[in-house]
Amino acid sequence: SIMLFLNKKDIFAEKLMYSDIATQRHFSDYAGPSKDFDHGVLYFTEKFKDCLMDDLNDSYIHVTCAIDTNNMEFVLESARTIIMNDNLRNFGFHGSD
């Protein structure tokens, strides 16, 4: 499994108000609407998934804001559960998917 934490979602949302993703050289293939947080996050998560090996389909992506304690509690608990389940599965204590 791979976990990707896209932190500082508040800063990303703010930057979208004055900077268009598609005008950035490395992201010129972005076709979503400008100033759209959800489409922007989807674009970057898909870019990440495109880099993964074909046989690795266990990726967990969390969009976070470290100063949002409720969000971080949820994300860290999710990460802990994913790690525990992977370890149990690797040692034969948990069924395969």
Side-chain angles (χ1 to χ4, degrees):
S1 296
I2 290 184
M3 287 183 265
L4 172 66
F5 297 92
L6 298 173
N7 194 28
K8 300 190 183 230
K9 68 180 182 180
D10 53 330
I11 294 172
F12 179 64
E14 181 182 317
K15 281 190 153 200
L16 284 176
M17 294 301 112
Y18 60 85
S19 181
D20 187 5
I21 296 169
T23 62
Q24 307 307 309
R25 183 169 43 110
H26 297 291
F27 309 121
S28 60
D29 61 334
Y30 176 72
S34 63
K35 300 181 181 180
D36 189 296
F37 178 83
D38 292 330
H39 280 91
V41 168
L42 180 63
Y43 169 76
F44 286 109
T45 58
E46 290 303 316
K47 289 285 260 192
F48 172 74
K49 288 179 180 180
D50 288 346
C51 296
L52 297 177
M53 295 180 289
D54 289 335
D55 60 342
L56 183 62
N57 55 10
D58 284 348
S59 62
Y60 302 92
I61 301 170
H62 297 281
V63 180
T64 64
C65 178
I67 60 174
D68 180 348
T69 56
N70 290 331
N71 177 253
M72 287 310 298
E73 282 181 32
F74 171 78
V75 167
L76 293 175
E77 185 57 37
S78 295
R80 193 176 2 256
T81 300
I82 291 164
I83 293 167
M84 183 180 64
N85 284 335
D86 277 357
N87 283 326
L88 289 172
R89 187 172 25 260
N90 288 339
F91 289 103
F93 293 109
H94 196 273
S96 61
D97 292 342

